[in-house]
Amino acid sequence: MDIVYLLIPLSLVLVFLIGAVFWWAVRRGQFDDLEGPAYRILMDDEISAKK
Amino acid sequence: MTADRASHVIPPSADCYHCGLPVPRGFVLSVAIDGVERLMCCAGCCAVARTIVDHGLTAYYRQRSALPLREDTVPAAVRELAAYEIAEVENEVARQDGEHAREATLMLEGITCAACVWLIEQRASRLPGVLAIEINYATHRARVRWDTRQTRLALILSAIAALGYRACPYDSARAELTRRRERDRALWRLFVAGFGMMQVMMYLVPVYVTTGEMTADVEQLMRIASLILTLPVVLYAAAPFFTGAWRDLRALQPGMDVPVALGIAAAFAASVVATLTGSGEVYFDSVTMFVFLLLAARYLEMTARMRAVTAQEELARPAPAIAERYTAWPAADSAMVAAASLRRGDYVRVRPGAAVPADGVVVAGESELDERLLTGESRPQPKRTGDQVIGSSFNLGSPLILRVTRVGQDTMLAGILRLLDRAAAQRPRIARSADRVAQYFVLALLMIAAAVAATWYHVDPSRALWITVAVLVVSCPCALSLATPAALAAATGALHQQGVLVTRGDAIENLARATDFVFDKTGTLTTGALRLIGVVPLGTGELKRSRDECLVLAAGLEAGSNHPIARALAAAAPAGIMCTEASTRVVPGMGVEGKLDGIRFRIGSAPFVAELHGHAMPAELEFVTDDVTMVALGDEHGWIALLTFADPLREHARHVMDELTALGKTVHLLSGDRPRIVAHVARKLGIAAQLGGVTPEAKVAYVQGLQADGAVVAMTGDGVNDAAGLAVADVAIAMGSGAEVTCGNSDVILLSNRLDTLLEAVRQARASLLVIRQNLAWAFAYNVVAVPLAACGYVSPLVAGIGMAASSTVVVTNALRLWRRAPPPQAAVARMLAPAG
């Protein structure tokens, strides 16, 4: 049962970490457009070398 | 996603490869795309396709899932872009963001699929000086940042336009930003509370389920962990309750935040003490949970509120930033200028598809305008020379040339926004009294809580704190305070969508309680514009003309005039027949004289025409001169025709009167017009109480007389000659024609000038009052049941939180029904067609 002395503080740290990551993601606008990026992955970013 | 899925679109080979429209015969424009020559339908498409190919962006054609919108206006759009070259326009639409960087939000038009987004992003991000561009596919808005040393907004916009899309700066970005920030913050608090709640539960469940096998220090560890997790919930998520309570206490006006804040603080403090001393119960789970529930209820209420203001937001949106001004009208030279720099008397051109930059009068052109946002009228409004146009309405037809009559803060749009602000700022009487009740309620509640605490302390000290907390939390003064404003906001928003502007908070309540409706005649029950009702050709022998010939002649003579009669004639003259050109001379107050083929013609009052030829008016026609306006037409030899005009009743007038009577209201007709005409109109509308030849003072006396008999009077007028009567009436309803809107004496404005919207307003007002009563009754009943239960110890703090949140939700949801009530026209038709019963 001694492991709980480690796991409980660890879970606390994780909670705050997850919260911080979510906060960062929302701030950066990761959830603003849920549709566009799905299509964007299909497009080539480079100029197609057309000769 | 398989590679062979044909998501891209290739039009049939005979059609334009870019836009899919058929290529005109004999048209041989083509562009080599990926090595294949593709046909183009026009130079515009050709230019766009070449731009795409030249920049190596042909992946667009492989990936697109929809054809682009056809942009005939590309050259015009490019010309418009020149305006953004002007420094002051750029300053207006772009924010300074760092020393050499600027940022602007753009509205993109013409985006049909995700490939368009890619195309624009690729093209724009390769422009020198563009630091970043982000396009939101869902909202079609782009955020662009650029280096002011290397590029300008105009260059970016023209690059986008060259691709065949239209980009324009998004004006109400700032308003939207604040709204979004408010929503984001609320959502964050909700998230923190919810996340904290779940984690705290996780730590406390083992404490509940295990029996004895957990050592004391593990349990203590769990409690400390819960305490740490509850801290952000109480300090951040619940902060609005504490600041609200503090504000209320400082103002010595206990509001609904006080008991909530007190409950949270007490529960939290007691739990902290229990944790630190290691004795007694902890209730971190209850604290986090009811913070979460309360925030959820608040969030719901906020969403409802925001929905009610969307109509206003829409109003602020279409105001265009630039205008095309003629530098020296009537010369054709024009220049793009900032709309803010327009002055009265300027001449501007409004292209089809563009918004009107300011209020004005049409001087040339004929078109249809969409005024839906301003008046709620969904049908396009035909406009021709001499008609008033409202700034921010949309030109749907052909180009119009306007003379600007009002700019900036004087425009109708600005007036409407001001009135809406006023309505929002005023707390209506019914809401104020509800607030007062809520205040007493809170005071009483605090006393009850103190009494409960004292009693339970003697009965069972261990339960005293939690029962007190439950009492504080379960009571719901929110429902009491929200009941009225939520309903009024929903009703106001729904009415505004139909073109009824409520400008005072009390108007809805008064309208619902009105017993007597007083109407003015001219301009209110009638359109206020003359209409041709009859033509009597009088010519004999060689002077004999057909009805249509008379009309064409009359319209031709009056063509240069802007008199109501001239406009009625222009509207009635048969289509397809060209009006005769005549050199005319207007004699004010009498009529018009014109010369045609060497013969002098006159149109106007009978004596004026008689003067020309010296014949007397045929005696048998004298009678028509009483309740209609009569105009004579003649030449040097005699009478040609007699034209009669009348002011027709508005659409729905009879229906509205009948419905009002059916609702148990008394309808009155008051008019300054001749008693015979008033009596005639009253008979046609089925109005029993009518009075003609009334002076403005007499109208005031009439209204006051009704009020003295205990009536609540709603008076409807067109805002100018009825001003005095409107001022004394309990509800002043004005027809929203033009300038009168801004006078601001009225409580309700029928923006679309349609009487049936008045009926809708009355129905909506009655429904609102009903909802308010339901809400108040519910709030009362809930508290009467819940508070005693909690005081007796039957309600745990957790259940109290749920009950309180549910109660607020019921109130807000009930109010939102008003929003949904407003029936769109189709629904009304469907109801009529549905079988009875």
Side-chain angles (χ1 to χ4, degrees):
Chain A
M1 279 296 273
D2 286 349
I3 195 69
V4 294
Y5 293 104
L6 176 68
L7 287 180
I8 288 176
L10 199 66
S11 68
L12 269 185
V13 171
L14 271 178
V15 163
F16 283 101
L17 208 69
I18 291 168
V21 168
F22 185 64
W23 177 78
W24 170 87
V26 171
R27 276 294 292 265
R28 284 289 305 274
Q30 300 284 329
F31 297 101
D32 287 357
D33 181 7
L34 299 175
E35 213 174 330
Y39 292 98
R40 204 164 298 175
I41 196 100
L42 298 171
M43 311 295 287
D44 304 321
D45 272 353
E46 271 90 74
I47 300 171
S48 52
K50 189 172 68 75
K51 287 282 121 71
Chain B
M1 292 268 162
T2 50
D4 59 353
R5 204 188 112 206
S7 67
H8 57 293
V9 175
I10 299 174
S13 56
D15 293 344
C16 173
Y17 189 72
H18 180 74
C19 72
L21 289 175
V23 177
R25 285 167 66 91
F27 211 76
V28 284
L29 275 177
S30 69
V31 175
I33 295 167
D34 288 341
V36 183
E37 283 291 328
R38 303 287 191 181
L39 284 176
M40 295 290 150
C41 67
C42 63
C45 285
C46 193
V48 171
R50 211 157 267 153
T51 310
I52 291 171
V53 172
D54 289 350
H55 289 86
L57 301 171
T58 50
Y60 165 72
Y61 289 113
R62 293 195 298 274
Q63 297 289 349
R64 65 178 175 180
S65 54
L67 292 168
L69 293 179
R70 206 178 120 118
E71 268 302 345
D72 274 337
T73 47
V74 169
V78 172
R79 193 149 37 82
E80 176 184 304
L81 292 171
Y84 292 104
E85 300 270 0
I86 308 164
E88 61 179 287
V89 176
E90 189 177 301
N91 288 343
E92 205 172 297
V93 297
R95 302 178 283 285
Q96 197 74 32
D97 186 27
E99 198 186 340
H100 297 295
R102 272 171 184 251
E103 192 182 274
T105 307
L106 307 178
M107 210 54 201
L108 295 172
E109 283 170 43
I111 290 185
T112 51
C113 66
C116 306
V117 172
W118 176 84
L119 186 63
I120 299 172
E121 277 189 3
Q122 289 300 311
R123 178 73 191 99
S125 59
R126 281 190 214 141
L127 290 170
V130 172
L131 301 172
I133 179 161
E134 273 172 42
I135 298 173
N136 187 325
Y137 175 53
T139 58
H140 294 187
R141 262 174 230 163
R143 252 189 28 226
V144 60
R145 257 167 70 89
W146 68 95
D147 190 326
T148 48
R149 288 166 302 183
Q150 291 184 45
T151 190
R152 289 188 312 274
L153 181 60
L155 292 177
I156 300 169
L157 294 180
S158 51
I160 296 173
L163 291 172
Y165 301 92
R166 283 188 61 182
C168 57
Y170 181 64
D171 283 335
S172 61
R174 204 165 300 139
E176 144 119 9
L177 202 70
T178 44
R179 212 167 40 136
R180 230 183 59 186
R181 236 180 241 151
E182 190 188 348
R183 203 198 61 202
D184 282 357
R185 221 173 296 152
L187 208 52
W188 263 112
R189 293 186 201 280
L190 192 62
F191 169 75
V192 167
F195 204 50
M197 173 184 80
M198 288 190 279
Q199 295 304 317
V200 170
M201 290 295 186
M202 217 175 68
Y203 292 128
L204 289 180
V205 164
V207 180
Y208 290 143
V209 294
T210 56
T211 43
E213 61 246 49
M214 206 184 295
T215 56
D217 45 348
V218 169
E219 204 182 317
Q220 181 65 5
L221 190 64
M222 299 269 200
R223 287 178 166 197
I224 291 174
S226 312
L227 170 62
I228 293 173
L229 280 169
T230 311
L231 267 177
V233 175
V234 171
L235 294 184
Y236 173 72
F241 300 115
F242 291 117
T243 48
W246 176 239
R247 202 178 45 226
D248 289 349
L249 285 179
R250 250 191 339 196
L252 289 177
Q253 285 181 332
M256 53 182 175
D257 282 334
V258 175
V260 171
L262 214 59
I264 295 169
F268 182 66
S271 298
V272 170
V273 170
T275 307
L276 295 183
T277 58
S279 62
E281 291 289 306
V282 293
Y283 283 91
F284 290 121
D285 51 347
S286 303
V287 172
T288 49
M289 189 150 181
F290 62 66
V291 168
F292 174 75
L293 290 171
L294 293 178
L295 285 172
R298 286 250 170 128
Y299 185 72
L300 213 74
E301 185 237 326
M302 195 176 72
T303 334
R305 189 159 41 88
M306 282 184 173
R307 251 178 77 181
V309 299
T310 36
Q312 275 186 60
E313 291 290 319
E314 274 177 21
L315 263 186
R317 195 172 301 156
I322 52 172
E324 185 178 354
R325 180 171 65 186
Y326 284 95
T327 38
W329 174 261
D333 305 326
S334 67
M336 298 306 259
V337 297
S341 70
L342 284 178
R343 293 282 164 269
R344 258 190 74 163
D346 282 351
Y347 287 85
V348 293
R349 201 170 98 103
V350 183
R351 284 183 297 102
V356 177
D359 291 3
V361 178
V362 180
V363 292
E366 200 170 308
S367 180
E368 292 196 319
L369 260 60
D370 177 3
E371 300 178 339
R372 191 176 50 83
L373 283 174
L374 297 132
T375 66
E377 175 63 67
S378 51
R379 285 173 297 184
Q381 299 296 302
K383 299 282 177 188
R384 54 165 78 196
T385 306
D387 282 339
Q388 300 268 348
V389 295
I390 312 168
S392 294
S393 51
F394 272 91
N395 186 0
L396 300 173
S398 47
L400 282 178
I401 295 166
L402 311 176
R403 194 182 68 242
V404 175
T405 52
R406 285 190 299 244
V407 291
Q409 285 305 302
D410 303 329
T411 56
M412 179 156 162
L413 177 69
I416 292 176
L417 287 174
R418 254 201 314 276
L419 289 176
L420 280 173
D421 282 346
R422 185 182 76 183
Q426 258 181 359
R427 283 187 72 64
R429 197 171 47 222
I430 189 167
R432 280 201 304 271
S433 58
D435 276 357
R436 241 192 334 271
V437 172
Q439 236 176 62
Y440 290 127
F441 178 82
V442 169
L443 272 180
L445 181 74
L446 291 176
M447 282 189 276
I448 291 172
V452 167
T455 315
W456 276 97
Y457 189 73
H458 288 294
V459 178
D460 183 358
S462 67
R463 295 183 63 194
L465 178 70
W466 298 106
I467 289 170
T468 315
V469 167
V471 169
L472 286 172
V473 171
V474 82
S475 70
C476 192
C478 321
L480 218 54
S481 298
L482 281 177
T484 318
L488 289 181
T492 311
L495 279 177
H496 185 203
Q497 278 202 329
Q498 307 194 4
V500 179
L501 191 64
V502 178
T503 71
R504 262 187 241 273
D506 282 338
I508 288 191
E509 190 194 348
N510 287 342
L511 193 58
R513 293 206 307 221
T515 54
D516 288 68
F517 281 78
V518 178
F519 288 91
D520 173 44
K521 187 184 77 71
T522 316
T524 305
L525 291 179
T526 64
T527 57
L530 290 176
R531 203 170 64 188
L532 180 77
I533 53 168
V535 182
V536 185
L538 296 177
T540 48
E542 63 191 90
L543 284 174
K544 191 165 171 61
R545 282 180 170 84
S546 76
R547 181 182 177 278
D548 282 356
E549 282 171 331
C550 296
L551 259 183
V552 170
L553 186 62
L557 284 167
E558 292 267 15
S561 162
N562 195 25
H563 191 268
I565 287 177
R567 302 182 60 162
L569 274 172
I577 303 177
M578 286 296 290
C579 287
T580 48
E581 295 239 349
S583 54
T584 55
R585 180 174 65 92
V586 178
V587 183
M590 300 299 279
V592 180
E593 184 184 295
K595 217 168 191 175
L596 195 72
D597 299 333
I599 306 170
R600 285 196 297 162
F601 290 90
R602 275 187 178 185
I603 181 167
S605 66
F608 174 68
V609 179
E611 213 178 283
L612 189 66
H613 51 67
H615 298 287
M617 171 67 85
E620 68 272 23
L621 288 171
E622 292 288 353
F623 73 96
V624 277
T625 56
D626 197 42
D627 66 344
V628 289
T629 306
M630 191 202 72
V631 170
L633 176 67
D635 64 6
E636 288 165 5
H637 309 296
W639 301 100
I640 296 173
L642 203 60
L643 305 142
T644 48
F645 298 86
D647 187 3
L649 287 176
R650 275 188 200 278
E651 231 186 321
H652 309 299
R654 175 75 206 219
H655 172 69
V656 171
M657 300 304 126
D658 289 348
E659 288 284 317
L660 283 176
T661 316
L663 286 171
K665 317 283 188 191
T666 318
V667 181
H668 307 258
L669 176 62
L670 282 190
S671 177
D673 215 336
R674 280 164 292 169
R676 264 185 72 173
I677 300 180
V678 178
H680 176 69
V681 170
R683 223 174 15 255
K684 255 164 84 179
L685 293 173
I687 301 173
Q690 54 90 12
L691 204 56
V694 190
T695 60
E697 296 77 46
K699 283 188 186 177
V700 173
Y702 191 91
V703 171
Q704 282 170 337
L706 289 174
Q707 284 169 332
D709 295 337
V712 179
V713 180
M715 174 145 178
T716 311
D718 59 357
V720 197
N721 49 357
D722 308 306
L726 288 173
V728 292
D730 296 282
V731 192
I733 304 161
M735 305 305 280
S737 30
E740 295 77 22
V741 167
T742 44
C743 78
N745 261 331
S746 43
D747 304 317
V748 177
I749 298 171
L750 307 181
L751 286 172
S752 59
N753 279 325
R754 280 170 43 180
L755 277 175
D756 55 335
T757 55
L758 169 66
L759 207 57
E760 193 48 48
V762 173
R763 290 208 191 103
Q764 186 71 271
R766 286 161 68 101
S768 313
L769 214 60
L770 186 69
V771 163
I772 290 171
R773 291 208 180 109
Q774 284 168 352
N775 278 351
L776 290 175
W778 160 260
F780 183 74
Y782 167 82
N783 283 305
V784 162
V785 174
V787 173
L789 275 181
C792 296
Y794 291 113
V795 181
S796 75
L798 205 66
V799 175
I802 297 174
M804 196 266 206
S807 170
S808 308
T809 312
V810 165
V811 165
V812 172
T813 320
N814 193 27
L816 277 184
R817 285 191 314 134
L818 286 172
W819 187 270
R820 246 174 268 130
R821 238 196 106 258
Q826 297 93 329
V829 171
R831 229 184 11 236
M832 266 159 56
L833 294 176

